[in-house]
Amino acid sequence: MKTCLIVDDSRMIRRVAGRIVKDMGFNTTDAANGQEALDACQMDMPDAILLDWNMPVMDGYGFLKALRKERGGDKPVVMFCTSERDISKITDALAAGANEYIMKPFDSAIIQSKFQLAGLL
């Protein structure tokens, strides 16, 4: 079974996204910030990562850059799932290795379509 790490400082977002991704057949884990997510990836690299941008300790962009330097860090499909709408930040995220960009608020149809586009389903 494929795995998805959900990284967001909002417990509510982690729960909602987790339910959506579980319904698509994934095992899920979560992290409240980029450092927790990096630690989790160093222990067990997931197949997919839903990633918020603005978080304490380490933001999503910092996490993405660190992830892509890790052994196996090129493998997960990373989808920013954020309210960050600055086009330069979106461009930076894609250049740093993000595969997709989902704007909040999101629903199951949006996440499912992005997972299909990325070849996860």
Side-chain angles (χ1 to χ4, degrees):
M1 185 175 277
K2 291 187 178 181
T3 58
C4 181
L5 174 62
I6 300 163
V7 188
D8 200 296
D9 55 330
S10 166
R11 185 183 319 232
M12 173 80 86
I13 296 293
R14 292 193 311 267
R15 283 187 186 162
V16 169
R19 193 170 314 120
I20 291 168
V21 174
K22 282 179 184 175
D23 287 348
M24 294 187 318
F26 285 75
N27 282 331
T28 63
T29 56
D30 62 67
N33 62 61
Q35 186 59 58
E36 285 182 16
L38 190 59
D39 294 344
C41 289
Q42 289 167 341
M43 291 175 48
D44 188 21
M45 198 63 72
D47 297 296
I49 300 171
L50 282 180
L51 180 62
D52 188 25
W53 190 293
N54 298 304
M55 297 177 288
V57 182
M58 179 189 287
D59 68 10
Y61 183 69
F63 162 77
L64 176 61
K65 291 190 331 185
L67 171 73
R68 293 306 193 204
K69 292 177 184 174
E70 290 290 321
R71 170 181 259 183
D74 59 330
K75 301 284 189 249
V77 172
V78 177
M79 297 189 187
F80 266 99
C81 187
T82 182
S83 57
E84 186 59 64
R85 288 167 165 43
D86 183 336
I87 194 71
S88 66
K89 287 191 174 186
I90 295 169
T91 303
D92 289 346
L94 295 172
N99 300 89
E100 289 288 340
Y101 207 94
I102 301 168
M103 296 292 192
K104 289 179 183 173
F106 58 85
D107 61 21
S108 60
I110 292 169
I111 292 178
Q112 186 167 4
S113 70
K114 292 291 188 174
F115 273 47
Q116 285 174 329
L117 284 172
L120 290 165
L121 297 177

